[in-house]
Amino acid sequence: MYFTSHTVAFLDGEFLPAAQATVGAYAQSLHYGYAVFEGIRAYRTPAGPRMFKPREHFERFHYSCQAIGLPLTYSVEELTEISYRLLELNGLQDAYIRPLAFAGAPNMSLQCPPAGNLLVAVWDWGKYLGDRALRLTISPYERPNPKAVPIEAKVAGHYANSIIASTEAKNRGFDEALLLDMHGHVAEGPGANFFFERDGELFTPPAGSILRGITRNTIIDLAREAGIRVTETFFRPEELRTATGAFMTGTAAEVVGVAAIDELVFDTPFAQTLGAGLARRYTALVTGQAVPAESA
């Protein structure tokens, strides 16, 4: 699914067959989840393949490495150049790009390594959560306490929480989980931010226990440009009973509607919501097309 015998990856300064981009069994990252990653999409546009907001993604990549003390020697410009070269070598225009900074040397200690490693991979990946409006469930698992880990960093080990929550939800017949924070407020999905709408206004959780996604920030900007009020605020699951719609955002998921949360079913079809209009605007933006004039 992710690579074939012809796929090229980048590992520690070298473009090589993806099957050869491996890590040893005693790597610190393998044992402790001590690694940092990003997810970036490239789109086919009239001007050729274009990554969406590479600077924002790679600046966050640097921040995440600094937050956990993982050395990264590549600049934002170098990371961008490597990614575009990989798209070219693999003949891809619409693609998902995964840079991973990791500690590949044998190391069973709990100390930061003196040097880090870099993998960049690309593959053709459709919308992670599909196009159908989702059935969510409130997860019994919470988002990590922000005083325990740097929650705004995309650390690989944090996503054990995401895998556990998502798997539990799907085992109960739902499409995805919706996690609360330690205070019982709605936080986000395992890999996507959450919005709901009410009376022509959008609401989304603020900084705290969420990763403020780049897609999330883009949707907020697009909404405000369209005259839609966006409020970042804490709210509990019971407040969603007055909502008329909801959606989730993320680089892998893009913008996907929510049809129901546990027993709560939204009366308005997603296609008629503010979220659907913003999804159209987002698609136009990332693919270099004219942004639709309508706000919903």
Side-chain angles (χ1 to χ4, degrees), residues 158-211:
H158 294 180
Y159 283 76
N161 170 258
S162 300
I163 293 170
I164 292 166
S166 185
T167 301
E168 190 276 339
K170 291 172 182 175
N171 285 344
R172 290 196 284 119
F174 292 91
D175 297 314
E176 189 56 286
L178 184 60
L179 290 84
L180 308 184
D181 67 15
M182 60 185 293
H183 301 295
H185 300 119
V186 173
E188 63 183 15
N193 292 120
F194 179 81
F195 290 78
F196 79 89
E197 60 185 75
R198 181 178 60 210
D199 299 329
E201 182 177 352
L202 292 179
F203 300 84
T204 191
S209 294
I210 69 165
L211 179 73

Side-chain angles (χ1 to χ4, degrees), residues 10-15 58-59 61-63 65-66 70-83 99-102 116-120:
F10 178 90
L11 178 64
D12 291 335
E14 183 180 0
F15 294 96
F58 286 127
E59 286 179 348
F61 192 54
H62 270 269
Y63 161 77
C65 288
Q66 292 167 3
L70 180 59
L72 176 64
T73 59
Y74 294 84
S75 69
V76 167
E77 291 73 22
E78 288 171 326
L79 292 164
T80 302
E81 183 179 345
I82 289 166
S83 300
L100 176 75
F102 65 100
N117 305 81
L118 175 69
L119 167 73
V120 186

